[in-house]
Amino acid sequence: MDCFLVEPDQIHGDLLVLRGDEYRHLSRVLRKRVGDHVFVTDGKGTMYEVIIRSFSRSEAECGVAEKYERWNEPRVEVTLAVSLLRNPSRFDMVIEKATELGVTTIIPLLCERTIPKHEKHARLQKIAVSALKQCGRSILPHIFVLTRFETLVRSAERFPLRLIAHEQTEQSQFLGSVLQHHKDDRSVLLIVGPEGGLTTGEMALASEQGFVPVSLGPRRLRSETAAISGISWIVGAS
Ligand code: SAH
């Protein structure tokens, strides 16, 4: 079920207007007609089931039939902080899969061993919008600007559960067991490091700031795999 995304100013009570690319997708690609039902989200947690009332040359006017709060959203809020990756398309994939899996916030990280030092925020945002519409969620993940590892770690006390994915199993607890003891935490932060891994200094700082080093199993995963696996464990089937 593809859904459409509108800005709050396109919603007027029980009336909703689609314009621009969304209008063209609805009218020209999907060739929807007056009377058809479609789903439209504001990207802030509300999903509207609407009936198309009329088309003009540039807009579709729709009437709201049903309104659902936190439609298709997981019960736990996940913030993924993940290092930029050498291969931009691999980082793009992290954005897309994290959005599909229900992440609320994505923080591109600059760790000591992170290779690229910049990212194109607008491009990442577009990937998230496309994934949101494809998977039928109602919250568009907020993508932060590139953030230094130390800055994030020193300002993470707002997260009741702070996890840092670490492949050195002797220093990490298995993620599944840690989650068993934190079933009531509704907001979780997960850090995933770069291809070269997190340094001992970074791990020490994170531990000082109350982060729990977590293992995702005995195999060494790519950063993107670790991110997808970690989110999946935290979100579960919710
Ligand atoms: N330092 C490793 C590679 C790092 S893998 C090496 O020696 O090659 C990139 C990131 O993925 C790591 O920083 C860690 O955050 C995560 N990661 C990879 N495998 C993991 C595992 N089995 N458990 C937990 N995290 C893992």
Side-chain angles (χ1 to χ4, degrees), residues 8 40 51 58 69 86 96 100 102 110-111 114 123 131 133-134 140 154 162 180 193-194 198 200 209 217 232:
V40 183
I51 303 169
S58 60
E69 295 308 329
R86 274 191 206 104
E96 182 179 74
E100 288 175 61
L110 199 53
C111 305
T114 298
R123 188 167 60 90
K133 289 164 61 180
Q134 176 274 324
L140 176 65
R154 288 189 186 282
R162 304 184 282 278
Q180 281 299 323
L198 293 159
T200 44
Q209 299 293 324
S232 302

Side-chain angles (χ1 to χ4, degrees), residues 50-229:
V50 304
I51 303 169
I52 300 172
R53 280 194 183 155
S54 64
F55 287 98
S56 67
R57 283 174 53 78
S58 60
E59 290 185 349
E61 190 178 280
C62 308
V64 174
E66 290 291 343
K67 188 173 161 182
Y68 307 95
E69 295 308 329
R70 288 190 69 79
W71 173 273
N72 271 354
E73 290 300 318
R75 57 171 180 71
V76 60
E77 277 202 8
V78 181
T79 296
L80 171 69
V82 52
S83 167
L84 287 183
L85 301 177
R86 274 191 206 104
N87 181 333
S89 60
R90 285 183 183 276
F91 195 78
D92 293 354
M93 187 187 72
V94 171
I95 300 290
E96 182 179 74
K97 301 315 168 193
T99 301
E100 288 175 61
L101 289 168
V103 162
T104 312
T105 306
I106 301 171
I107 305 175
L109 268 191
L110 199 53
C111 305
E112 283 182 45
R113 295 176 181 155
T114 298
I115 299 295
K117 304 295 179 204
H118 54 82
E119 44 80 22
K120 290 197 175 37
H121 190 270
R123 188 167 60 90
L124 303 181
Q125 189 69 27
K126 250 178 104 174
I127 292 165
V129 167
S130 170
L132 167 94
K133 289 164 61 180
Q134 176 274 324
C135 76
R137 279 184 70 182
S138 57
I139 291 181
L140 176 65
H142 174 52
I143 302 178
F144 275 46
V145 293
L146 187 57
T147 304
R148 301 191 68 80
F149 177 89
E150 183 172 354
T151 307
L152 171 67
V153 165
R154 288 189 186 282
S155 61
E157 58 282 348
R158 66 187 184 282
F159 296 97
L161 182 56
R162 304 184 282 278
L163 306 172
I164 185 162
H166 194 44
E167 67 282 4
Q168 309 297 341
T169 42
E170 61 281 357
Q171 298 159 29
S172 315
Q173 303 170 56
F174 182 55
L175 176 52
S177 337
V178 173
L179 293 171
Q180 281 299 323
H181 298 97
H182 289 270
K183 283 186 178 145
D184 300 335
D185 286 332
R186 282 284 174 272
S187 173
V188 181
L189 169 62
L190 171 67
I191 290 181
V192 174
E195 296 89 343
L198 293 159
T199 64
T200 44
E202 286 172 329
M203 289 307 296
L205 176 64
S207 295
E208 259 172 49
Q209 299 293 324
F211 280 76
V212 179
V214 288
S215 166
L216 293 164
R219 290 166 297 286
R220 187 173 62 229
L221 309 175
R222 287 181 180 279
S223 301
E224 58 271 29
T225 314
I228 292 166
S229 170

